[in-house]
Amino acid sequence: MTGGMDVLDADVLRAWAGGARTALALARPAVDAVNVFPVADADTGTNALLTITGGAEAVTALPVGTDALDVARAFARGALLAARGNSGVILSQYLAGFADGLAGAAPTDPSAALLTTPVGVPAAVGSGGSALAQAAGRDEAAADVVRALAAAATAARAAVAEPSEGTVLTLADAVAARAASLPLELPAVTLLGTVLDDARAALAPISAEHPVLRREHVPDAGACALLVVLDALHRAVTGTPEPTTPASWLPPVEHHAHAAHEGGGAFEVMLVVRASPGEDVSEALKRRLSAVGDSVAVVGGDGVWHVHVHTDHPDAVIEAAALGAREQVVVRLVDAPHGQSAGEEMPPAGRWGMVACTAAPALAAWYAAAGAVTLVVPPDAPVTAAHVARAVADTGADDVALLPGGVVGADALAERPGPVVEVLDADDELRVVVAVLAWAGSGAAAGVHDAVRALGRLRVVRVDVAEALPSALADLVSSAEGESMTVVHRDPLDATSKAYVEAAASSHGLEPVLVGPTGTGAAFWLGVD
């Protein structure tokens, strides 16, 4: 750590983390409103806030006396582990690069060091390339800033499989280049202020380089989020109090009916892949995931890789990511409510979220299409309380109904700060399906009550062969009448099996709902309520 770190000392970096969270909370509606790329899902501000919040919480947890470099690493590490969406992944990598730049290096993938370097141990210092050359001859504090901004821009670009110009990546490059171009005698505080003034002025022309942003006449949402974070850094350096209103340069909060980006998939998938320590699977993951989706981002290192992708086939993404143990697999509909919607200061009153837990990747799209945040549990990793908490947070609701599906243990369902979670009696795939059908993405307490009532009425039987479906259904309806019939099937239904299902339903005046194939579990789960 250089002598110039008095400008970016531990107290300043702590203030940066907290101030960035405050500023993004204020900016979120405006940033969400201009989110049109890579898909118009109005959640870039939300994702950036969730990501930075993870970083700020990691900084808050540090003991008193932690030095500046370790504060920077903790901020980046917490953001990396909490990263949401393509924008959050890029932002977490930006912070990772910034931390490594402060250590004197400018790697292309600094997150590896963040995940493996213990607090208090200096990171390995590489040549630093052009970043060190640009910082040469400067005041030490200004050199720290120049080097950190250069390393941050490099790291952010390396996170994305197919970087797009006219976005946050271009702005990050412009910030780094402008910092390096300023006079050598300029002190760090003045340098940072000048860079930010120029970056705000460059936001519109940079965004206009991108065809989607140019067509919609909006700035890049990710670039806006980055500027908010860098504004918070400047406030911390100058000792300016945290803001109480959104920054004046932010675009007006208007909920635009933006056209969706043509390449965007309907679902967002985020997961963690744990490979062997020292094994770099990032390029293989990017290649395999790019074949089944877009907006691909892969970050991490030393066997821990965080993945983001938009796709129409979540199960294909989960399979393509099988280069190690997969965990924290969360699937949601891109257009579903997520955090707060653009233009709202608070989430809609009374809105409920739903988390559906399943061992069947093939059903992830079905659950997510109904509006549930879906936590997929592959056989190679257990579910932890942190995984559940992340899925709950991703609903963006203050009250959440959770369907454990028989794959989430009691230890992962312990009470925790945050939304109020009601665990429904849905301990197998059929019950999860029935609850989601009753809720049907209503987002209201009435829908959750409907799910609870449906589960209370439900009578279930497991059937191993299709020929047994008529007699199994007869046994179910003999004790009480039913109004609906749900069949969850493991394998694709051939004509004969489908005929058995339809015959069984019609003989009792029921309309069957067929869900599958699940690819796992019993051949058939039959339920009547």
Side-chain angles (χ1 to χ4, degrees):
M1 182 163 44
T2 68
M5 287 294 286
D6 58 333
V7 171
L8 296 178
D9 63 17
D11 289 340
V12 165
L13 294 178
R14 284 179 181 271
W16 179 26
R21 174 170 54 183
T22 298
L24 277 172
L26 294 168
R28 175 165 62 166
V31 177
D32 279 345
V34 296
N35 175 200
V36 302
F37 179 84
V39 290
D41 48 1
D43 68 353
T44 291
T46 298
N47 287 333
L49 176 59
L50 290 170
T51 301
I52 290 297
T53 295
E57 290 175 348
V59 169
T60 300
L62 292 173
V64 175
T66 301
D67 70 23
L69 184 54
D70 284 337
V71 172
R73 286 179 178 153
F75 189 21
R77 185 187 300 113
L80 176 67
L81 296 176
R84 302 301 208 283
N86 189 271
S87 54
V89 169
I90 291 172
L91 189 54
S92 73
Q93 280 298 92
Y94 189 90
L95 296 178
F98 193 96
D100 243 354
L102 291 182
T108 52
D109 190 8
S111 57
L114 286 170
L115 291 169
T116 60
T117 304
V119 170
V121 177
V125 179
S127 66
S130 60
L132 291 178
Q134 291 159 350
R138 291 188 184 277
D139 166 82
E140 284 186 289
D144 284 333
V145 172
V146 171
R147 186 169 46 246
L149 293 175
T154 300
R157 186 170 287 273
V160 183
E162 297 181 0
S164 294
E165 300 308 324
T167 66
V168 59
L169 301 177
T170 311
L171 184 74
D173 289 342
V175 165
R178 181 60 176 139
S181 73
L182 290 172
L184 295 180
E185 66 274 12
L186 212 60
V189 174
T190 305
L191 181 146
L192 187 56
T194 301
V195 166
L196 283 173
D197 287 342
D198 291 346
R200 286 189 288 268
L203 176 62
I206 284 176
S207 300
E209 296 175 16
H210 193 283
V212 174
L213 301 172
R214 184 171 61 249
R215 182 187 69 209
E216 299 293 339
H217 306 289
V218 294
D220 180 60
C224 290
L226 177 60
L227 280 178
V228 170
V229 171
L230 291 177
D231 271 345
L233 175 61
H234 188 239
R235 280 179 171 268
V237 167
T238 57
T240 306
E242 291 184 4
T244 57
T245 58
S248 60
W249 58 265
L250 284 165
V253 179
E254 299 174 358
H255 189 65
H256 301 285
H258 298 303
H261 177 52
E262 295 177 358
F267 305 98
E268 178 188 67
V269 182
M270 294 200 72
L271 70 152
V272 172
V273 177
R274 294 189 180 271
S276 301
E279 181 183 6
D280 187 345
V281 298
S282 59
E283 291 307 316
L285 281 170
K286 288 177 184 177
R287 183 176 63 255
R288 294 177 66 157
L289 295 171
S290 294
V292 292
D294 62 10
S295 298
V296 174
V298 177
V299 299
D302 199 44
V304 182
W305 304 94
H306 289 245
V307 169
H308 169 275
V309 62
H310 287 166
T311 183
D312 289 326
H313 306 286
D315 54 335
V317 167
I318 296 167
E319 176 61 28
L323 295 178
R326 295 150 297 173
E327 62 183 54
Q328 197 174 287
V329 184
V330 176
V331 181
R332 71 176 188 91
L333 188 67
V334 167
D335 291 334
H338 178 52
Q340 68 189 59
S341 300
E344 294 171 340
E345 295 184 358
M346 295 292 292
R351 186 172 77 79
W352 276 71
M354 179 167 281
V355 174
C357 305
T358 178
L363 292 190
W366 189 88
Y367 289 131
V373 171
T374 306
L375 181 61
V376 182
V377 185
D380 44 18
V383 176
T384 69
H387 299 163
V388 173
R390 181 184 178 105
V392 166
D394 282 353
T395 67
D398 290 331
D399 298 284
V400 179
L402 188 139
L403 310 171
V407 294
V408 178
D411 57 337
L413 299 176
E415 290 188 14
R416 64 188 64 81
V420 176
V421 178
E422 181 175 345
V423 180
L424 304 192
D425 184 19
D427 285 329
D428 57 52
E429 204 73 66
L430 176 64
R431 287 178 171 84
V432 175
V433 167
V434 168
V436 170
L437 281 170
W439 182 68
S442 69
V448 175
H449 294 157
D450 288 344
V452 171
R453 286 193 291 269
L455 291 171
R457 297 190 303 261
L458 186 66
R459 302 183 300 284
V460 179
V461 64
R462 171 175 172 160
V463 180
D464 294 322
V465 293
E467 293 85 346
L469 284 169
S471 60
L473 179 60
D475 291 341
L476 283 182
V477 300
S478 62
S479 57
E481 291 297 320
E483 296 181 359
S484 62
M485 169 182 167
T486 306
V487 180
V488 176
H489 53 98
R490 180 186 62 208
D491 306 310
L493 289 180
D494 57 26
T496 301
S497 297
K498 191 172 182 180
Y500 277 117
V501 172
E502 292 173 347
S506 63
S507 64
H508 297 281
L510 302 174
E511 185 70 27
V513 176
L514 305 177
V515 179
T518 65
T520 186
F524 297 93
W525 280 104
L526 175 62
V528 174
D529 72 278

